[in-house]
PDB file of all heavy atoms in Angstrom:
ATOM      1  N   GLY A  15       1.627 -31.949 -21.749  1.00 45.00           N
ATOM      2  CA  GLY A  15       2.038 -33.375 -21.514  1.00 45.00           C
ATOM      3  C   GLY A  15       3.573 -33.542 -21.380  1.00 45.00           C
ATOM      4  O   GLY A  15       4.058 -34.493 -20.943  1.00 45.00           O
ATOM      5  N   GLU A  16       4.337 -32.365 -21.751  1.00 53.00           N
ATOM      6  CA  GLU A  16       5.801 -32.481 -21.720  1.00 53.00           C
ATOM      7  C   GLU A  16       6.213 -31.375 -20.772  1.00 53.00           C
ATOM      8  O   GLU A  16       7.425 -30.779 -21.096  1.00 53.00           O
ATOM      9  CB  GLU A  16       6.328 -32.452 -23.019  1.00 53.00           C
ATOM     10  CG  GLU A  16       6.058 -33.716 -23.804  1.00 53.00           C
ATOM     11  CD  GLU A  16       7.172 -34.193 -24.561  1.00 53.00           C
ATOM     12  OE1 GLU A  16       8.278 -33.453 -24.592  1.00 53.00           O
ATOM     13  OE2 GLU A  16       7.075 -35.090 -25.317  1.00 53.00           O
ATOM     14  N   GLY A  17       5.618 -30.915 -19.819  1.00 55.00           N
ATOM     15  CA  GLY A  17       6.053 -29.847 -19.012  1.00 55.00           C
ATOM     16  C   GLY A  17       5.226 -28.637 -19.004  1.00 55.00           C
ATOM     17  O   GLY A  17       4.138 -28.667 -18.577  1.00 55.00           O
ATOM     18  N   GLY A  18       5.634 -27.597 -19.698  1.00 63.00           N
ATOM     19  CA  GLY A  18       4.779 -26.319 -19.768  1.00 63.00           C
ATOM     20  C   GLY A  18       5.146 -25.371 -18.515  1.00 63.00           C
ATOM     21  O   GLY A  18       4.427 -24.317 -18.500  1.00 63.00           O
ATOM     22  N   ARG A  19       6.041 -25.890 -17.651  1.00 78.00           N
ATOM     23  CA  ARG A  19       6.238 -24.994 -16.560  1.00 78.00           C
ATOM     24  C   ARG A  19       7.232 -23.902 -16.815  1.00 78.00           C
ATOM     25  O   ARG A  19       7.336 -22.894 -16.089  1.00 78.00           O
ATOM     26  CB  ARG A  19       6.684 -25.942 -15.296  1.00 78.00           C
ATOM     27  CG  ARG A  19       5.527 -26.700 -14.832  1.00 78.00           C
ATOM     28  CD  ARG A  19       6.000 -27.691 -13.701  1.00 78.00           C
ATOM     29  NE  ARG A  19       6.770 -28.798 -14.283  1.00 78.00           N
ATOM     30  CZ  ARG A  19       6.271 -29.781 -14.946  1.00 78.00           C
ATOM     31  NH1 ARG A  19       5.011 -29.924 -14.954  1.00 78.00           N
ATOM     32  NH2 ARG A  19       7.030 -30.833 -15.437  1.00 78.00           N
ATOM     33  N   GLY A  20       8.070 -24.113 -17.802  1.00 85.00           N
ATOM     34  CA  GLY A  20       9.026 -23.143 -18.125  1.00 85.00           C
ATOM     35  C   GLY A  20       8.523 -21.696 -18.345  1.00 85.00           C
ATOM     36  O   GLY A  20       8.930 -20.726 -17.760  1.00 85.00           O
ATOM     37  N   LEU A  21       7.457 -21.583 -19.103  1.00 89.00           N
ATOM     38  CA  LEU A  21       6.882 -20.240 -19.427  1.00 89.00           C
ATOM     39  C   LEU A  21       6.159 -19.765 -18.228  1.00 89.00           C
ATOM     40  O   LEU A  21       6.007 -18.581 -18.091  1.00 89.00           O
ATOM     41  CB  LEU A  21       6.013 -20.270 -20.753  1.00 89.00           C
ATOM     42  CG  LEU A  21       6.857 -20.373 -22.009  1.00 89.00           C
ATOM     43  CD1 LEU A  21       5.886 -20.481 -23.248  1.00 89.00           C
ATOM     44  CD2 LEU A  21       7.766 -19.217 -22.165  1.00 89.00           C
ATOM     45  N   LEU A  22       5.571 -20.635 -17.418  1.00 91.00           N
ATOM     46  CA  LEU A  22       4.953 -20.188 -16.199  1.00 91.00           C
ATOM     47  C   LEU A  22       6.035 -19.595 -15.317  1.00 91.00           C
ATOM     48  O   LEU A  22       5.684 -18.557 -14.641  1.00 91.00           O
ATOM     49  CB  LEU A  22       4.209 -21.477 -15.475  1.00 91.00           C
ATOM     50  CG  LEU A  22       2.965 -21.913 -16.166  1.00 91.00           C
ATOM     51  CD1 LEU A  22       2.544 -23.156 -15.503  1.00 91.00           C
ATOM     52  CD2 LEU A  22       1.877 -20.891 -16.259  1.00 91.00           C
ATOM     53  N   LEU A  23       7.193 -20.087 -15.275  1.00 92.00           N
ATOM     54  CA  LEU A  23       8.280 -19.521 -14.474  1.00 92.00           C
ATOM     55  C   LEU A  23       8.609 -18.168 -15.013  1.00 92.00           C
ATOM     56  O   LEU A  23       8.787 -17.198 -14.208  1.00 92.00           O
ATOM     57  CB  LEU A  23       9.453 -20.509 -14.516  1.00 92.00           C
ATOM     58  CG  LEU A  23       9.362 -21.705 -13.390  1.00 92.00           C
ATOM     59  CD1 LEU A  23      10.620 -22.595 -13.682  1.00 92.00           C
ATOM     60  CD2 LEU A  23       9.401 -21.207 -12.022  1.00 92.00           C
ATOM     61  N   VAL A  24       8.782 -18.076 -16.313  1.00 94.00           N
ATOM     62  CA  VAL A  24       9.126 -16.776 -16.913  1.00 94.00           C
ATOM     63  C   VAL A  24       8.105 -15.733 -16.532  1.00 94.00           C
ATOM     64  O   VAL A  24       8.486 -14.643 -16.250  1.00 94.00           O
ATOM     65  CB  VAL A  24       9.192 -16.935 -18.478  1.00 94.00           C
ATOM     66  CG1 VAL A  24       9.404 -15.581 -19.139  1.00 94.00           C
ATOM     67  CG2 VAL A  24      10.520 -17.859 -18.768  1.00 94.00           C
ATOM     68  N   ALA A  25       6.824 -16.156 -16.703  1.00 94.00           N
ATOM     69  CA  ALA A  25       5.683 -15.219 -16.496  1.00 94.00           C
ATOM     70  C   ALA A  25       5.733 -14.865 -14.971  1.00 94.00           C
ATOM     71  O   ALA A  25       5.435 -13.559 -14.760  1.00 94.00           O
ATOM     72  CB  ALA A  25       4.380 -15.789 -16.811  1.00 94.00           C
ATOM     73  N   ALA A  26       6.110 -15.595 -14.010  1.00 94.00           N
ATOM     74  CA  ALA A  26       6.078 -15.326 -12.693  1.00 94.00           C
ATOM     75  C   ALA A  26       7.340 -14.420 -12.295  1.00 94.00           C
ATOM     76  O   ALA A  26       7.224 -13.585 -11.413  1.00 94.00           O
ATOM     77  CB  ALA A  26       6.067 -16.690 -11.905  1.00 94.00           C
ATOM     78  N   LEU A  27       8.341 -14.700 -12.935  1.00 95.00           N
ATOM     79  CA  LEU A  27       9.519 -13.883 -12.489  1.00 95.00           C
ATOM     80  C   LEU A  27       9.780 -12.676 -13.287  1.00 95.00           C
ATOM     81  O   LEU A  27      10.312 -11.701 -12.747  1.00 95.00           O
ATOM     82  CB  LEU A  27      10.887 -14.752 -12.705  1.00 95.00           C
ATOM     83  CG  LEU A  27      10.921 -16.044 -11.858  1.00 95.00           C
ATOM     84  CD1 LEU A  27      12.098 -17.124 -12.318  1.00 95.00           C
ATOM     85  CD2 LEU A  27      11.093 -15.624 -10.430  1.00 95.00           C
ATOM     86  N   ALA A  28       9.454 -12.589 -14.567  1.00 96.00           N
ATOM     87  CA  ALA A  28       9.766 -11.380 -15.324  1.00 96.00           C
ATOM     88  C   ALA A  28       8.514 -10.277 -14.992  1.00 96.00           C
ATOM     89  O   ALA A  28       7.410 -10.550 -14.766  1.00 96.00           O
ATOM     90  CB  ALA A  28       9.714 -11.700 -16.685  1.00 96.00           C
ATOM     91  N   ASP A  29       8.945  -8.955 -15.266  1.00 96.00           N
ATOM     92  CA  ASP A  29       7.944  -8.039 -15.143  1.00 96.00           C
ATOM     93  C   ASP A  29       7.056  -7.980 -16.386  1.00 96.00           C
ATOM     94  O   ASP A  29       5.925  -7.739 -16.279  1.00 96.00           O
ATOM     95  CB  ASP A  29       8.693  -6.539 -15.064  1.00 96.00           C
ATOM     96  CG  ASP A  29       9.424  -6.557 -13.689  1.00 96.00           C
ATOM     97  OD1 ASP A  29       8.949  -6.931 -12.760  1.00 96.00           O
ATOM     98  OD2 ASP A  29      10.432  -5.912 -13.792  1.00 96.00           O
ATOM     99  N   ARG A  30       7.679  -8.277 -17.571  1.00 96.00           N
ATOM    100  CA  ARG A  30       6.896  -8.333 -18.862  1.00 96.00           C
ATOM    101  C   ARG A  30       7.613  -9.377 -19.719  1.00 96.00           C
ATOM    102  O   ARG A  30       8.825  -9.609 -19.611  1.00 96.00           O
ATOM    103  CB  ARG A  30       7.005  -7.065 -19.602  1.00 96.00           C
ATOM    104  CG  ARG A  30       6.325  -5.804 -18.947  1.00 96.00           C
ATOM    105  CD  ARG A  30       6.641  -4.582 -19.502  1.00 96.00           C
ATOM    106  NE  ARG A  30       8.115  -4.271 -19.211  1.00 96.00           N
ATOM    107  CZ  ARG A  30       8.656  -3.762 -18.138  1.00 96.00           C
ATOM    108  NH1 ARG A  30       7.904  -3.761 -17.089  1.00 96.00           N
ATOM    109  NH2 ARG A  30       9.846  -3.554 -17.937  1.00 96.00           N
ATOM    110  N   TRP A  31       6.868 -10.114 -20.570  1.00 95.00           N
ATOM    111  CA  TRP A  31       7.484 -11.072 -21.457  1.00 95.00           C
ATOM    112  C   TRP A  31       6.516 -11.148 -22.659  1.00 95.00           C
ATOM    113  O   TRP A  31       5.325 -10.761 -22.586  1.00 95.00           O
ATOM    114  CB  TRP A  31       7.625 -12.433 -20.755  1.00 95.00           C
ATOM    115  CG  TRP A  31       6.419 -13.319 -20.724  1.00 95.00           C
ATOM    116  CD1 TRP A  31       5.554 -13.198 -19.640  1.00 95.00           C
ATOM    117  CD2 TRP A  31       6.015 -14.387 -21.520  1.00 95.00           C
ATOM    118  NE1 TRP A  31       4.606 -14.062 -19.904  1.00 95.00           N
ATOM    119  CE2 TRP A  31       4.856 -14.955 -20.992  1.00 95.00           C
ATOM    120  CE3 TRP A  31       6.687 -14.848 -22.715  1.00 95.00           C
ATOM    121  CZ2 TRP A  31       4.231 -15.911 -21.610  1.00 95.00           C
ATOM    122  CZ3 TRP A  31       6.019 -16.014 -23.281  1.00 95.00           C
ATOM    123  CH2 TRP A  31       4.768 -16.372 -22.822  1.00 95.00           C
ATOM    124  N   GLY A  32       7.016 -11.727 -23.732  1.00 94.00           N
ATOM    125  CA  GLY A  32       6.158 -11.818 -24.889  1.00 94.00           C
ATOM    126  C   GLY A  32       7.053 -12.626 -25.998  1.00 94.00           C
ATOM    127  O   GLY A  32       7.984 -13.001 -25.822  1.00 94.00           O
ATOM    128  N   CYS A  33       6.257 -12.848 -27.096  1.00 92.00           N
ATOM    129  CA  CYS A  33       6.851 -13.445 -28.292  1.00 92.00           C
ATOM    130  C   CYS A  33       6.382 -12.809 -29.528  1.00 92.00           C
ATOM    131  O   CYS A  33       5.227 -12.327 -29.601  1.00 92.00           O
ATOM    132  CB  CYS A  33       6.273 -14.999 -28.239  1.00 92.00           C
ATOM    133  SG  CYS A  33       6.984 -15.994 -29.506  1.00 92.00           S
ATOM    134  N   GLU A  34       7.239 -12.685 -30.510  1.00 92.00           N
ATOM    135  CA  GLU A  34       6.842 -12.040 -31.794  1.00 92.00           C
ATOM    136  C   GLU A  34       7.566 -12.748 -32.859  1.00 92.00           C
ATOM    137  O   GLU A  34       8.710 -13.278 -32.607  1.00 92.00           O
ATOM    138  CB  GLU A  34       7.220 -10.565 -31.615  1.00 92.00           C
ATOM    139  CG  GLU A  34       8.598 -10.321 -31.202  1.00 92.00           C
ATOM    140  CD  GLU A  34       8.818  -8.912 -30.540  1.00 92.00           C
ATOM    141  OE1 GLU A  34       7.905  -8.369 -29.895  1.00 92.00           O
ATOM    142  OE2 GLU A  34       9.877  -8.382 -30.766  1.00 92.00           O
ATOM    143  N   PRO A  35       6.966 -12.667 -34.040  1.00 91.00           N
ATOM    144  CA  PRO A  35       7.678 -13.276 -35.168  1.00 91.00           C
ATOM    145  C   PRO A  35       9.050 -12.561 -35.429  1.00 91.00           C
ATOM    146  O   PRO A  35       9.219 -11.411 -35.227  1.00 91.00           O
ATOM    147  CB  PRO A  35       6.778 -12.996 -36.355  1.00 91.00           C
ATOM    148  CG  PRO A  35       5.410 -12.693 -35.820  1.00 91.00           C
ATOM    149  CD  PRO A  35       5.692 -12.192 -34.364  1.00 91.00           C
ATOM    150  N   ARG A  36      10.080 -13.261 -35.855  1.00 87.00           N
ATOM    151  CA  ARG A  36      11.304 -12.772 -36.143  1.00 87.00           C
ATOM    152  C   ARG A  36      11.241 -11.880 -37.441  1.00 87.00           C
ATOM    153  O   ARG A  36      10.798 -12.294 -38.437  1.00 87.00           O
ATOM    154  CB  ARG A  36      12.251 -13.835 -36.375  1.00 87.00           C
ATOM    155  CG  ARG A  36      13.714 -13.459 -36.556  1.00 87.00           C
ATOM    156  CD  ARG A  36      14.531 -14.620 -36.774  1.00 87.00           C
ATOM    157  NE  ARG A  36      15.935 -14.419 -37.239  1.00 87.00           N
ATOM    158  CZ  ARG A  36      16.735 -15.260 -37.701  1.00 87.00           C
ATOM    159  NH1 ARG A  36      16.447 -16.508 -37.515  1.00 87.00           N
ATOM    160  NH2 ARG A  36      17.848 -14.864 -38.186  1.00 87.00           N
ATOM    161  N   PRO A  37      11.653 -10.546 -37.393  1.00 82.00           N
ATOM    162  CA  PRO A  37      11.474  -9.744 -38.469  1.00 82.00           C
ATOM    163  C   PRO A  37      12.511  -9.893 -39.610  1.00 82.00           C
ATOM    164  O   PRO A  37      12.274  -9.660 -40.754  1.00 82.00           O
ATOM    165  CB  PRO A  37      11.768  -8.213 -37.839  1.00 82.00           C
ATOM    166  CG  PRO A  37      12.679  -8.480 -36.815  1.00 82.00           C
ATOM    167  CD  PRO A  37      12.179  -9.834 -36.117  1.00 82.00           C
ATOM    168  N   ASP A  38      13.708 -10.614 -39.288  1.00 83.00           N
ATOM    169  CA  ASP A  38      14.686 -10.772 -40.354  1.00 83.00           C
ATOM    170  C   ASP A  38      14.737 -12.071 -40.841  1.00 83.00           C
ATOM    171  O   ASP A  38      15.811 -12.482 -41.410  1.00 83.00           O
ATOM    172  CB  ASP A  38      16.052 -10.280 -39.858  1.00 83.00           C
ATOM    173  CG  ASP A  38      16.381 -11.009 -38.551  1.00 83.00           C
ATOM    174  OD1 ASP A  38      15.598 -11.718 -37.937  1.00 83.00           O
ATOM    175  OD2 ASP A  38      17.713 -10.932 -38.201  1.00 83.00           O
ATOM    176  N   GLY A  39      13.811 -12.895 -40.779  1.00 81.00           N
ATOM    177  CA  GLY A  39      13.689 -14.248 -41.203  1.00 81.00           C
ATOM    178  C   GLY A  39      12.757 -15.142 -40.640  1.00 81.00           C
ATOM    179  O   GLY A  39      11.994 -14.662 -39.811  1.00 81.00           O
ATOM    180  N   PRO A  40      12.952 -16.496 -40.921  1.00 86.00           N
ATOM    181  CA  PRO A  40      11.948 -17.378 -40.303  1.00 86.00           C
ATOM    182  C   PRO A  40      12.266 -17.528 -38.888  1.00 86.00           C
ATOM    183  O   PRO A  40      13.352 -17.312 -38.404  1.00 86.00           O
ATOM    184  CB  PRO A  40      12.205 -18.703 -41.058  1.00 86.00           C
ATOM    185  CG  PRO A  40      13.563 -18.611 -41.553  1.00 86.00           C
ATOM    186  CD  PRO A  40      13.800 -17.120 -41.833  1.00 86.00           C
ATOM    187  N   GLY A  41      11.300 -17.709 -37.953  1.00 89.00           N
ATOM    188  CA  GLY A  41      11.510 -17.901 -36.650  1.00 89.00           C
ATOM    189  C   GLY A  41      10.774 -16.962 -35.704  1.00 89.00           C
ATOM    190  O   GLY A  41       9.864 -16.174 -36.179  1.00 89.00           O
ATOM    191  N   LYS A  42      11.057 -16.921 -34.444  1.00 92.00           N
ATOM    192  CA  LYS A  42      10.441 -16.167 -33.424  1.00 92.00           C
ATOM    193  C   LYS A  42      11.470 -15.649 -32.428  1.00 92.00           C
ATOM    194  O   LYS A  42      12.531 -16.236 -32.284  1.00 92.00           O
ATOM    195  CB  LYS A  42       9.330 -16.757 -32.781  1.00 92.00           C
ATOM    196  CG  LYS A  42       9.730 -18.009 -32.043  1.00 92.00           C
ATOM    197  CD  LYS A  42       8.541 -18.774 -31.413  1.00 92.00           C
ATOM    198  CE  LYS A  42       8.913 -20.083 -30.963  1.00 92.00           C
ATOM    199  NZ  LYS A  42       9.692 -21.159 -31.817  1.00 92.00           N
ATOM    200  N   THR A  43      11.167 -14.562 -31.770  1.00 94.00           N
ATOM    201  CA  THR A  43      11.879 -14.058 -30.594  1.00 94.00           C
ATOM    202  C   THR A  43      10.920 -14.122 -29.415  1.00 94.00           C
ATOM    203  O   THR A  43       9.937 -13.458 -29.368  1.00 94.00           O
ATOM    204  CB  THR A  43      12.421 -12.742 -30.927  1.00 94.00           C
ATOM    205  OG1 THR A  43      13.344 -12.671 -32.038  1.00 94.00           O
ATOM    206  CG2 THR A  43      13.229 -12.162 -29.702  1.00 94.00           C
ATOM    207  N   VAL A  44      11.411 -14.737 -28.432  1.00 94.00           N
ATOM    208  CA  VAL A  44      10.732 -14.688 -27.025  1.00 94.00           C
ATOM    209  C   VAL A  44      11.605 -13.860 -26.190  1.00 94.00           C
ATOM    210  O   VAL A  44      12.821 -13.982 -26.068  1.00 94.00           O
ATOM    211  CB  VAL A  44      10.619 -16.118 -26.449  1.00 94.00           C
ATOM    212  CG1 VAL A  44       9.887 -16.142 -25.220  1.00 94.00           C
ATOM    213  CG2 VAL A  44       9.961 -17.036 -27.488  1.00 94.00           C
ATOM    214  N   TRP A  45      10.919 -12.891 -25.548  1.00 96.00           N
ATOM    215  CA  TRP A  45      11.711 -11.848 -24.674  1.00 96.00           C
ATOM    216  C   TRP A  45      11.037 -11.825 -23.395  1.00 96.00           C
ATOM    217  O   TRP A  45       9.903 -12.133 -23.115  1.00 96.00           O
ATOM    218  CB  TRP A  45      11.742 -10.515 -25.467  1.00 96.00           C
ATOM    219  CG  TRP A  45      10.321 -10.018 -25.660  1.00 96.00           C
ATOM    220  CD1 TRP A  45       9.583 -10.135 -26.834  1.00 96.00           C
ATOM    221  CD2 TRP A  45       9.473  -9.183 -24.832  1.00 96.00           C
ATOM    222  NE1 TRP A  45       8.362  -9.487 -26.696  1.00 96.00           N
ATOM    223  CE2 TRP A  45       8.221  -8.942 -25.441  1.00 96.00           C
ATOM    224  CE3 TRP A  45       9.764  -8.636 -23.555  1.00 96.00           C
ATOM    225  CZ2 TRP A  45       7.310  -8.222 -24.773  1.00 96.00           C
ATOM    226  CZ3 TRP A  45       8.690  -7.884 -23.011  1.00 96.00           C
ATOM    227  CH2 TRP A  45       7.451  -7.729 -23.700  1.00 96.00           C
ATOM    228  N   ALA A  46      11.833 -11.351 -22.490  1.00 97.00           N
ATOM    229  CA  ALA A  46      11.511 -11.025 -21.157  1.00 97.00           C
ATOM    230  C   ALA A  46      12.164  -9.785 -20.497  1.00 97.00           C
ATOM    231  O   ALA A  46      13.377  -9.646 -20.785  1.00 97.00           O
ATOM    232  CB  ALA A  46      11.641 -12.236 -20.232  1.00 97.00           C
ATOM    233  N   GLU A  47      11.526  -9.054 -19.637  1.00 97.00           N
ATOM    234  CA  GLU A  47      12.163  -7.816 -19.198  1.00 97.00           C
ATOM    235  C   GLU A  47      12.012  -7.944 -17.571  1.00 97.00           C
ATOM    236  O   GLU A  47      10.922  -8.361 -17.034  1.00 97.00           O
ATOM    237  CB  GLU A  47      11.517  -6.533 -19.667  1.00 97.00           C
ATOM    238  CG  GLU A  47      11.783  -6.281 -21.083  1.00 97.00           C
ATOM    239  CD  GLU A  47      11.150  -5.003 -21.640  1.00 97.00           C
ATOM    240  OE1 GLU A  47      10.260  -4.444 -20.952  1.00 97.00           O
ATOM    241  OE2 GLU A  47      11.678  -4.459 -22.750  1.00 97.00           O
ATOM    242  N   TYR A  48      13.053  -7.486 -16.912  1.00 97.00           N
ATOM    243  CA  TYR A  48      13.083  -7.396 -15.397  1.00 97.00           C
ATOM    244  C   TYR A  48      13.640  -6.364 -14.952  1.00 97.00           C
ATOM    245  O   TYR A  48      14.742  -5.661 -15.449  1.00 97.00           O
ATOM    246  CB  TYR A  48      13.883  -8.727 -15.071  1.00 97.00           C
ATOM    247  CG  TYR A  48      13.912  -8.939 -13.623  1.00 97.00           C
ATOM    248  CD1 TYR A  48      13.119  -9.852 -12.946  1.00 97.00           C
ATOM    249  CD2 TYR A  48      14.852  -8.313 -12.790  1.00 97.00           C
ATOM    250  CE1 TYR A  48      13.127 -10.263 -11.614  1.00 97.00           C
ATOM    251  CE2 TYR A  48      14.988  -8.709 -11.372  1.00 97.00           C
ATOM    252  CZ  TYR A  48      14.038  -9.559 -10.806  1.00 97.00           C
ATOM    253  OH  TYR A  48      13.949  -9.797  -9.504  1.00 97.00           O
ATOM    254  N   THR A  49      13.034  -5.607 -14.003  1.00 95.00           N
ATOM    255  CA  THR A  49      13.643  -4.266 -13.431  1.00 95.00           C
ATOM    256  C   THR A  49      14.526  -4.700 -12.123  1.00 95.00           C
ATOM    257  O   THR A  49      14.045  -5.511 -11.315  1.00 95.00           O
ATOM    258  CB  THR A  49      12.397  -3.395 -12.841  1.00 95.00           C
ATOM    259  OG1 THR A  49      11.557  -3.207 -14.075  1.00 95.00           O
ATOM    260  CG2 THR A  49      13.033  -2.072 -12.452  1.00 95.00           C
ATOM    261  N   VAL A  50      15.729  -4.185 -12.175  1.00 93.00           N
ATOM    262  CA  VAL A  50      16.642  -4.689 -11.122  1.00 93.00           C
ATOM    263  C   VAL A  50      16.886  -3.313 -10.266  1.00 93.00           C
ATOM    264  O   VAL A  50      16.714  -2.245 -10.662  1.00 93.00           O
ATOM    265  CB  VAL A  50      17.984  -5.060 -11.630  1.00 93.00           C
ATOM    266  CG1 VAL A  50      17.738  -6.328 -12.494  1.00 93.00           C
ATOM    267  CG2 VAL A  50      18.584  -4.057 -12.637  1.00 93.00           C
ATOM    268  N   ASP A  51      17.469  -3.435  -9.082  1.00 83.00           N
ATOM    269  CA  ASP A  51      17.794  -2.356  -8.256  1.00 83.00           C
ATOM    270  C   ASP A  51      18.946  -1.643  -8.794  1.00 83.00           C
ATOM    271  O   ASP A  51      18.984  -0.302  -8.740  1.00 83.00           O
ATOM    272  CB  ASP A  51      18.126  -2.896  -6.758  1.00 83.00           C
ATOM    273  CG  ASP A  51      16.916  -3.457  -6.201  1.00 83.00           C
ATOM    274  OD1 ASP A  51      15.770  -3.119  -6.445  1.00 83.00           O
ATOM    275  OD2 ASP A  51      17.159  -4.292  -5.248  1.00 83.00           O
ATOM    276  N   THR A  52      19.982  -2.256  -9.273  1.00 73.00           N
ATOM    277  CA  THR A  52      21.092  -1.587  -9.857  1.00 73.00           C
ATOM    278  C   THR A  52      21.672  -2.165 -11.024  1.00 73.00           C
ATOM    279  O   THR A  52      21.688  -3.513 -11.245  1.00 73.00           O
ATOM    280  CB  THR A  52      22.288  -1.340  -8.698  1.00 73.00           C
ATOM    281  OG1 THR A  52      22.711  -2.837  -8.502  1.00 73.00           O
ATOM    282  CG2 THR A  52      21.926  -0.696  -7.627  1.00 73.00           C
ATOM    283  N   VAL A  53      22.211  -1.379 -11.928  1.00 72.00           N
ATOM    284  CA  VAL A  53      22.907  -1.761 -13.084  1.00 72.00           C
ATOM    285  C   VAL A  53      23.960  -0.666 -13.211  1.00 72.00           C
ATOM    286  O   VAL A  53      23.749   0.523 -13.098  1.00 72.00           O
ATOM    287  CB  VAL A  53      22.047  -1.755 -14.372  1.00 72.00           C
ATOM    288  CG1 VAL A  53      22.940  -2.013 -15.704  1.00 72.00           C
ATOM    289  CG2 VAL A  53      20.965  -2.619 -14.274  1.00 72.00           C
ATOM    290  N   ALA A  54      25.191  -1.052 -13.415  1.00 65.00           N
ATOM    291  CA  ALA A  54      26.402  -0.142 -13.461  1.00 65.00           C
ATOM    292  C   ALA A  54      26.018   0.804 -14.554  1.00 65.00           C
ATOM    293  O   ALA A  54      25.695   0.533 -15.658  1.00 65.00           O
ATOM    294  CB  ALA A  54      27.625  -0.936 -13.759  1.00 65.00           C
ATOM    295  N   ARG A  55      26.129   2.151 -14.220  1.00 60.00           N
ATOM    296  CA  ARG A  55      25.886   3.219 -15.144  1.00 60.00           C
ATOM    297  C   ARG A  55      26.896   3.570 -16.050  1.00 60.00           C
ATOM    298  O   ARG A  55      26.846   4.123 -17.085  1.00 60.00           O
ATOM    299  CB  ARG A  55      25.386   4.390 -14.341  1.00 60.00           C
ATOM    300  CG  ARG A  55      24.267   4.301 -13.557  1.00 60.00           C
ATOM    301  CD  ARG A  55      23.766   5.549 -12.822  1.00 60.00           C
ATOM    302  NE  ARG A  55      23.504   6.577 -13.840  1.00 60.00           N
ATOM    303  CZ  ARG A  55      22.327   6.753 -14.328  1.00 60.00           C
ATOM    304  NH1 ARG A  55      21.329   6.006 -14.110  1.00 60.00           N
ATOM    305  NH2 ARG A  55      22.106   7.869 -15.215  1.00 60.00           N
ATOM    306  N   TYR A  56      28.160   3.146 -15.734  1.00 49.00           N
ATOM    307  CA  TYR A  56      29.351   3.520 -16.557  1.00 49.00           C
ATOM    308  C   TYR A  56      30.260   2.307 -16.693  1.00 49.00           C
ATOM    309  O   TYR A  56      30.159   1.380 -15.908  1.00 49.00           O
ATOM    310  CB  TYR A  56      30.188   4.712 -15.835  1.00 49.00           C
ATOM    311  CG  TYR A  56      29.229   5.828 -15.395  1.00 49.00           C
ATOM    312  CD1 TYR A  56      28.991   6.061 -14.138  1.00 49.00           C
ATOM    313  CD2 TYR A  56      28.834   6.675 -16.430  1.00 49.00           C
ATOM    314  CE1 TYR A  56      28.040   7.138 -13.753  1.00 49.00           C
ATOM    315  CE2 TYR A  56      27.861   7.673 -16.055  1.00 49.00           C
ATOM    316  CZ  TYR A  56      27.700   7.924 -14.702  1.00 49.00           C
ATOM    317  OH  TYR A  56      26.751   8.927 -14.359  1.00 49.00           O
TER     318      TYR A  56
END
């Protein structure tokens, strides 16, 4: 009822994504990974 498209975009764009409880306190961490053509090596 208030959107919900944000995570659909994340799922469509990212190679992998997920959510897990925060290990060092209350809360959660939402993460996404994306493979790129180049990242500076040095």
Side-chain angles (χ1 to χ4, degrees):
E16 292 220 3
R19 289 173 291 281
L21 288 178
L22 290 172
L23 282 171
V24 170
L27 293 171
D29 295 321
R30 293 165 295 286
W31 79 279
C33 182
E34 53 204 33
R36 184 175 163 194
D38 59 346
K42 63 187 169 299
T43 298
V44 183
W45 58 269
E47 292 180 343
Y48 186 93
T49 304
V50 297
D51 292 335
T52 59
V53 175
R55 296 183 64 83
Y56 309 105

